[in-house]
Amino acid sequence: MVYAANNSVQGARKDEGGFDGDAPTAILIEASSGSVLSEKNADELRAPSSMMTLMTAETVFHAIKQGEIKLTDEYRVSDNAWRKGGAPAGGPTMFAAIHSKISVDDLLHGAIVQNGNDACMILAEGIAGNERIFADMMTKRARELGLTQSTFANSNGLPDPGNKMTVREIAKLARYLIQTYPDFYKLFGEREFTWNKIRQQNRNPLLTSFDGADGLKTGFTKEGGYGMVGSAVQNGMRLIVVVNGLDDPDDRASEAKKMLEWGFRNFEARTLFAAQQPIGYAKVFGGANRSVRLASPEPIKVMVQKNGSDKLIARVVYKGPVRAPVESGQPVGVVRVWRGANLAMEAPVYAAESVGKGSTMRRAIDGASELVIGMFRLGAEKL
């Protein structure tokens, strides 16, 4: 299973040198490593508004990747989608004509570029039969990606108490979209889209006001306030920002820009472990060797402040001992890196070598050792 990111990763709060902003909930992460640079009430559940269409898009992207649907498939515009999400509703719409048929490709453009509520509903009804079933699919898919708190009641973020996300999980989802679907991700950076002879501009103000910005979404409901998830690349480094709960659309754009500027200005990537460099060792049960060397096929990097004042601590965490035989490349655990008092990032580690089964005597000795340790642990828990 591929997870969007680990739930425990944290960034600096305002009182710890984090970004001093006005958004009620906010987070800034570096996309490659998943390092969190700053956060504020990042685990508070709020109405995500149209930002939750990132989950709608991921559910559709995943279905395409699995071969369940194709970009050329066409879905019919129902009375329901036209009335509740189209021109009669008065909200953001792609102006889909009632009873017409529209391809998945065009509907994705309508949902992402034009923020069309009708486009999301047509996709939901076409894929799942009705929007409620599709919303359940979205929640299930979120759990598969490691988003443990997000819940969805519709496809477009229109007001419903069942639509809840945290800015941390929105950021993780954005990171997953960027890394997993690079071709589809380009949709978020398209400046305009024309449908039904109506040309509409992308509603993301960062695309025209911030250097290197290429996504993602804005959102607003009365209960959730104004929010935005944005991403930009400068000097080869990508940052992702999410803010939510602001009172004004200009404030959300300003806040997102200031957080991105702060991140690019103050942080740089530092490689802690090169690819395949030994990171640590895990104890092996019943093996020819007592331990197995651990490494990562990719460099382990963490974001640090450019002034060099950050203190970094790395620890390998695994459930063990690992039972032999152990195959080279087998996932074993994770390496967690703390930046000061905050858990800044987490990355998987793998066995860097194979370890075969040990002799009968070795397995017996390991078994007896684990039995004694288990009894000690049980006694300690009783105390």
Side-chain angles (χ1 to χ4, degrees):
M1 191 69 67
V2 178
Y3 291 93
N6 180 270
N7 286 327
S8 60
V9 175
Q10 298 175 342
R13 298 183 298 273
K14 175 182 174 180
D15 58 353
E16 299 169 330
F19 177 79
D20 184 6
D22 298 324
T25 62
I27 193 167
L28 179 69
I29 72 171
E30 191 272 326
S32 178
S33 66
S35 292
V36 183
L37 310 185
S38 182
E39 65 176 83
K40 180 180 179 182
N41 300 322
D43 296 307
E44 178 182 309
L45 283 167
R46 274 182 172 265
S49 310
S50 295
M51 291 186 291
M52 65 167 264
T53 57
L54 296 189
M55 195 69 240
T56 303
E58 198 289 327
T59 305
V60 177
F61 296 163
H62 180 68
I64 294 171
K65 189 175 182 180
Q66 295 298 110
E68 297 169 0
I69 63 173
K70 301 187 295 293
L71 285 171
T72 53
D73 289 347
E74 294 185 334
Y75 297 141
R76 181 176 175 272
V77 182
S78 69
D79 292 356
N80 179 65
W82 178 78
R83 186 173 58 256
K84 294 182 178 179
T93 174
M94 74 176 290
F95 294 99
I98 189 170
H99 299 161
S100 64
K101 288 187 176 181
I102 306 176
S103 71
V104 170
D105 189 10
D106 288 329
L107 288 168
L108 283 171
H109 280 79
I112 293 171
V113 182
Q114 298 180 330
N115 202 31
N117 292 326
D118 51 353
C120 294
M121 296 178 72
I122 297 162
L123 284 166
E125 292 174 349
I127 292 173
N130 65 62
E131 197 172 16
R132 172 58 67 177
I133 295 175
F134 186 81
D136 291 341
M137 290 172 57
M138 291 168 62
T139 302
K140 179 182 178 183
R141 181 64 183 151
R143 297 297 177 270
E144 292 173 353
L145 298 180
L147 308 180
T148 60
Q149 298 190 74
S150 299
T151 57
F152 308 98
N154 57 42
S155 63
N156 45 36
L158 287 171
D160 190 294
N163 291 330
K164 296 292 182 183
M165 295 187 78
T166 68
V167 292
R168 190 187 306 280
E169 295 200 343
I170 294 173
K172 292 174 184 178
L173 178 56
R175 180 185 180 222
Y176 183 81
L177 286 169
I178 292 167
Q179 294 181 335
T180 309
Y181 309 103
D183 291 334
F184 285 135
Y185 177 68
K186 295 174 184 177
L187 288 172
F188 292 95
E190 292 193 10
R191 300 293 181 88
E192 62 179 42
F193 180 62
T194 299
W195 187 255
N196 203 11
K197 298 181 180 181
I198 300 173
R199 183 175 68 176
Q200 296 188 68
Q201 302 292 322
N202 194 312
R203 295 169 181 267
N204 183 353
L206 291 180
L207 296 179
T208 55
S209 64
F210 193 86
D211 184 35
D214 56 9
L216 294 148
K217 289 286 290 180
T218 59
F220 168 74
T221 56
K222 286 185 178 180
E223 57 185 353
Y226 287 92
M228 171 184 290
V229 49
S231 184
V233 180
Q234 292 186 6
N235 299 318
M237 181 171 72
R238 177 182 290 279
L239 299 183
I240 298 170
V241 62
V242 188
V243 296
N244 201 13
L246 288 152
D247 296 328
D248 184 271
D250 292 335
D251 289 343
R252 71 180 171 192
S254 174
E255 191 85 346
K257 286 174 63 176
K258 287 189 290 186
M259 287 191 74
L260 288 170
E261 290 169 349
W262 177 84
F264 284 121
R265 183 173 61 249
N266 290 289
F267 285 83
E268 62 185 0
R270 180 178 299 174
T271 300
L272 298 185
F273 302 97
Q276 303 302 341
Q277 177 184 345
I279 295 174
Y281 293 84
K283 185 178 179 181
V284 175
F285 176 86
N289 298 328
R290 302 296 301 275
S291 63
V292 61
R293 182 164 44 92
L294 303 177
S296 169
E298 304 292 335
I300 301 295
K301 298 182 179 181
V302 67
M303 300 300 294
V304 296
Q305 295 191 57
K306 291 180 179 179
N307 62 20
S309 62
D310 287 327
K311 179 182 179 181
L312 301 178
I313 298 175
R315 293 193 181 105
V316 171
V317 181
Y318 68 98
K319 185 177 181 180
V322 183
R323 187 175 294 273
V326 180
E327 299 294 330
S328 178
Q330 175 180 323
V332 174
V334 297
V335 57
R336 291 175 178 165
V337 181
W338 278 262
R339 185 175 55 242
N342 300 300
L343 181 56
M345 69 153 298
E346 177 176 299
V349 291
Y350 305 83
E353 57 197 349
S354 297
V355 178
K357 284 188 175 182
S359 64
T360 303
M361 179 62 72
R362 168 52 57 197
R363 295 198 297 272
I365 292 173
D366 285 352
S369 174
E370 284 302 304
L371 178 62
V372 171
I373 292 173
M375 293 175 64
F376 175 79
R377 288 173 179 159
L378 182 60
E381 288 175 0
K382 289 181 177 180
L383 291 175

